[in-house]
Amino acid sequence: MVAPSISFENVDLDKEAVDGPISVRSTTDLGAGYDRSRCGVRPISATLEADVGSRRTKDEGHGEPGTGHNEPVDSSAPDPLARLLAAPPRLPAREALPRLRELLADDPGHGIVVTAPPGTGKTTLVPPLVAHALTTPEDGGRVIVTQPRRIAARAAARRLADLLDEPLGNTVGYAVRGEREAGPHTRIEVVTAGLLLRRLQADPDLPGVAAVVLDEVHERSLESDLLLTLLLDARALREDLVIIAMSATADLDRLPTMLGAGSPDAAAADSAADGGNSTDGPGLAPEAPIVSVTGSLHPLQEVWAPPPSRTPRLGPHGVPREFLAHVAATAQRALTERTGDALVFLPGAREVEDVVSRLHGSVPESVDVLPLHGRLSARAQDAALAPSPPGHRRVVVATNVAESSLTVPGVRVVVDAMLTRQPRLDVARGMSGLVTVGASRAEGVQRAGRAGREGPGVVYRCCTPTDWARAPQAPVPEILSADLTRLVLELAVWGAPDGAGLTWLDPPPAPAMEAARTALQRLGLLEDDAEADGAAAAVTVLGRAVARIPADARLARALLTARGTVGARRAAEGTALLSAELRAPGGDLT
């Protein structure tokens, strides 16, 4: 068990998207608030930030970003981005750069959709091109790139900085929970979706930001879906803000329509279509252009490695230990049959530690076994991503933090348990809990792609071909299955408590929205229906304070209430323990 990291002055909480506990740390005053009835009204203080990682350096540009440039790049130019783009790495995504440069030069007011298979270099090459096209080293503008997880944000920023032969914090920086490497000359900043969401709530016009690149939108997390919706709404303030959505799959049919509908041309088209009155009629707004990367990975071989017929992958209390023993045995088999390092995918931190302990006693001394999950320190995560020393091989046992936006050097073998954890509404607790379920085929393809990034690879799938065929094509979007209490609170702070007038990839289910509103009213975070007088219930002062704590609304309210009774330290310790979902020894997570 990994204990939550706790430190105190004023308190703030954050939660890793998949398997990390709430962390309590020092940040800004919880009681400070701001007044905005809609996103078009600025906060009382334009400098108010919801997270220490989002505080800007005092030299960072707050004016409108410059126009940048779109002329052909020069390998001898002083601009490091120009030098990189003059001789980019030989990745399939480089073939799409001319088209993307053309779109940014001709009509940057539209959104752009970029689709590219895993491992083709979209995260490596698209942000530098966008930053080179829309910013200059002198104008103080920057491009924000979102990643679904902290480890992916750090790794993507480090990769770009290495390509530029610069330290982190110069042209390329990053910001994650409690950690930031960025400076006044940073033009590409990689952040988590949750951090950008808090910045957007504090400053909806995103001053100094020329473009937002949303990476891995196909994962459909609750935070990323909400962030996309609010960014599109915020374009009423920033018609020049470029939004680029990148996906490893091409099955998000609504993305081009959504991004095109929020553009200035779309508004003009709607107005002209009905003589000046807006309309929701189909086909009036132009769709955002799609830039497709058609390159492929190195060849991948598929090996089916199902467990014995009496060993299920899932039991009544989670993942059976017999199945974990089978995964460990499959990893050992792969090491004897193949060359290169191995990457093993499991659903959660407990399963990772179980398989790591099994492998430690059964592999040769020349094989290093390393865990990789969201509860580890940044140093331990970086160690798992470092290349193997000479004469050694590695087995990296990971949760889905390694599923996207990461290249684990040397990996030619993937062992996939074909399980994942997804948030589901826990009726007994009245909040979301992580439930172990079978992985989708899209997730399986993503994981297999880790083996084909540097050369031909192989994936061992711990299931039968029939199990694979029966698996869902894609994971269920979190907005359709998770508790929406936090989402409704964010909408209330934004000024749209019922979500009316907003554009969604998938609209939140009405029953779940109503249940969330009722829960927030009972917690005193939204006004009662009687006080609202028929209008959508507005957020209360306590609700605004809770919204500034990036955690489940119930836990955040408990923290604020309890700290006045037992003190900040004990309140934070208790809340952090609740968020960690601790089990008795031998317990399991269903």
Side-chain angles (χ1 to χ4, degrees), residues 285-337:
E287 289 192 347
I290 300 174
V291 178
S292 298
V293 176
T294 56
S296 60
L297 298 168
H298 296 283
L300 278 174
Q301 182 183 352
E302 211 170 33
V303 176
W304 302 104
S309 57
R310 295 187 177 182
T311 302
R313 289 188 297 143
L314 277 175
H317 300 290
V319 184
R321 298 192 180 278
E322 296 81 4
F323 180 72
L324 295 177
H326 171 73
V327 174
T330 303
Q332 295 176 57
R333 170 191 168 189
L335 287 173
T336 60
E337 295 178 349

Side-chain angles (χ1 to χ4, degrees), residues 114-134:
V114 177
T115 62
T120 50
K122 66 181 185 302
T123 305
T124 299
L125 295 179
V126 170
L129 177 69
V130 176
H132 179 260
L134 300 180

Side-chain angles (χ1 to χ4, degrees), residues 3 10 28 43 212 366 413 431 502 531-532:
N10 294 321
T28 177
V212 175
S366 61
V413 178
M431 55 196 296
L502 300 179
E531 297 175 2

Side-chain angles (χ1 to χ4, degrees), residues 128-155:
L129 177 69
V130 176
H132 179 260
L134 300 180
T135 72
T136 68
E138 297 81 21
D139 67 9
R142 66 178 54 189
V143 171
I144 303 295
V145 182
T146 67
Q147 291 294 332
R149 302 171 188 89
R150 289 172 289 163
I151 183 175
R154 284 195 300 264

Side-chain angles (χ1 to χ4, degrees), residues 15-21 148-151 219 221 223 346-349 351 372-375 398-404 419-423 433-435 443 447 478 579-581 589:
K15 185 174 179 69
E16 182 69 14
V18 175
D19 57 3
R149 302 171 188 89
R150 289 172 289 163
I151 183 175
E219 292 200 7
S221 73
E223 279 186 335
L346 288 159
E351 292 84 2
L372 180 59
H373 54 76
R375 294 185 180 182
T399 62
N400 67 348
V401 299
E403 189 175 299
S404 59
L419 296 173
T420 189
R421 288 225 169 110
Q422 294 181 355
L434 293 175
V435 178
E443 291 168 308
R447 297 172 182 182
E478 288 185 10
S579 76
E581 295 187 335
L589 177 66

Side-chain angles (χ1 to χ4, degrees), residues 215 238 311 388-389 487 552 586:
D215 202 1
R238 286 285 311 279
T311 302
S388 300
L487 179 139
D552 177 84

Side-chain angles (χ1 to χ4, degrees), residues 4-300:
S5 59
I6 303 177
S7 63
F8 308 93
E9 290 177 7
N10 294 321
V11 286
D12 194 9
L13 290 83
D14 202 353
K15 185 174 179 69
E16 182 69 14
V18 175
D19 57 3
I22 285 178
S23 171
V24 186
R25 69 191 187 282
S26 168
T27 63
T28 177
D29 178 20
L30 290 172
Y34 50 88
D35 186 17
R36 175 168 66 253
S37 62
R38 201 65 179 96
C39 72
V41 181
R42 285 175 177 258
I44 292 173
S45 170
T47 61
L48 174 64
E49 297 292 346
D51 188 90
V52 66
S54 66
R55 291 174 185 165
R56 300 179 179 86
T57 55
K58 60 184 176 182
D59 293 327
E60 179 179 334
H62 285 264
E64 292 299 320
T67 56
H69 40 81
N70 289 278
E71 65 274 9
V73 292
D74 180 3
S75 60
S76 63
D79 183 352
L81 295 178
R83 294 196 300 271
L84 170 63
L85 294 170
R90 293 188 174 278
L91 296 167
R94 66 184 290 176
E95 303 302 325
L97 296 184
R99 171 61 175 157
L100 183 57
R101 183 183 292 112
E102 176 186 329
L103 290 172
L104 291 170
D106 291 346
D107 195 359
H110 285 301
I112 300 173
V113 177
V114 177
T115 62
T120 50
K122 66 181 185 302
T123 305
T124 299
L125 295 179
V126 170
L129 177 69
V130 176
H132 179 260
L134 300 180
T135 72
T136 68
E138 297 81 21
D139 67 9
R142 66 178 54 189
V143 171
I144 303 295
V145 182
T146 67
Q147 291 294 332
R149 302 171 188 89
R150 289 172 289 163
I151 183 175
R154 284 195 300 264
R158 187 175 295 113
R159 164 72 168 159
L160 286 172
D162 288 344
L163 288 174
L164 296 177
D165 196 23
E166 290 184 347
L168 277 170
N170 283 8
T171 303
V172 178
Y174 73 91
V176 298
R177 184 180 70 188
E179 186 180 349
R180 189 173 190 235
E181 290 282 351
H185 303 295
T186 297
R187 297 166 65 190
I188 301 173
E189 187 176 15
V190 189
V191 305
T192 57
L195 192 147
L196 182 56
L197 182 60
R198 295 193 291 277
R199 289 189 186 181
L200 186 65
Q201 287 280 24
D203 274 321
D205 53 351
L206 293 177
V209 176
V212 175
V213 179
L214 303 170
D215 202 1
E216 312 296 352
V217 294
H218 60 274
E219 292 200 7
R220 301 298 310 279
S221 73
L222 196 58
E223 279 186 335
S224 65
D225 274 15
L226 177 60
L227 177 60
L228 174 59
T229 290
L230 297 191
L231 280 171
L232 293 174
D233 197 41
R235 284 209 297 201
L237 290 175
R238 286 285 311 279
E239 292 185 351
D240 63 322
L241 181 66
V242 177
I243 302 175
I244 298 176
M246 301 201 298
S247 171
T249 63
D251 58 355
L252 297 177
D253 296 335
R254 279 183 50 77
L255 261 180
T257 303
M258 287 178 64
L259 292 180
S263 67
D265 285 356
D270 286 349
S271 178
D274 66 353
N277 298 314
S278 62
T279 178
D280 294 326
L284 297 177
E287 289 192 347
I290 300 174
V291 178
S292 298
V293 176
T294 56
S296 60
L297 298 168
H298 296 283
L300 278 174

